[in-house]
Amino acid sequence: MPKYVFIYHAPPMPADAEPPEPEQVQEMMDAWYGWARSVGDGMIDLGTPLAGGVRVTPDGVAMSDLQVAGYSILEADNRDAAVALAQSHPHLGMGDGCLIEVHEAEPLPGS
């Protein structure tokens, strides 16, 4: 069964924004874990939040300007099924600018 990598994007929190209340964090995490349970055995790696990205090029190193907030890896029958799972993800309801990229993990050549 094909594997898919979900890349979560979100705008950065404004420096002067108040942190969410613990109840809000718990509600958000309950929604994420509920979504993961709905994926069932197809959930390979729920992932983790990401921060402080660094862009490495042949010319040097700089802070990333991409708004990558996290990832998940899961199995689905096909891309349409993976996209349907992404469309039901609570990340999309977390505010303006939140989106999910869905990428198929292809086998390495020669493996």
Side-chain angles (χ1 to χ4, degrees), residues 6-10 28 31-32 35 82-102:
F6 284 23
I7 306 293
Y8 305 108
H9 294 268
M28 178 183 63
W32 274 67
W35 175 83
V83 167
L85 289 169
Q87 289 172 319
S88 68
H89 198 291
H91 179 74
L92 297 178
M94 292 179 60
D96 291 340
C98 289
L99 60 94
I100 303 171
E101 289 184 61
V102 177

Side-chain angles (χ1 to χ4, degrees), residues 53-64:
V54 177
R55 181 178 53 243
V56 179
T57 70
D59 298 325
V61 177
M63 292 304 294
S64 176

Side-chain angles (χ1 to χ4, degrees), residues 62-90:
M63 292 304 294
S64 176
D65 57 0
L66 299 176
Q67 299 172 343
V68 178
Y71 75 94
S72 295
I73 302 172
L74 53 95
E75 291 180 327
D77 290 332
N78 53 49
R79 184 177 67 186
D80 290 341
V83 167
L85 289 169
Q87 289 172 319
S88 68
H89 198 291

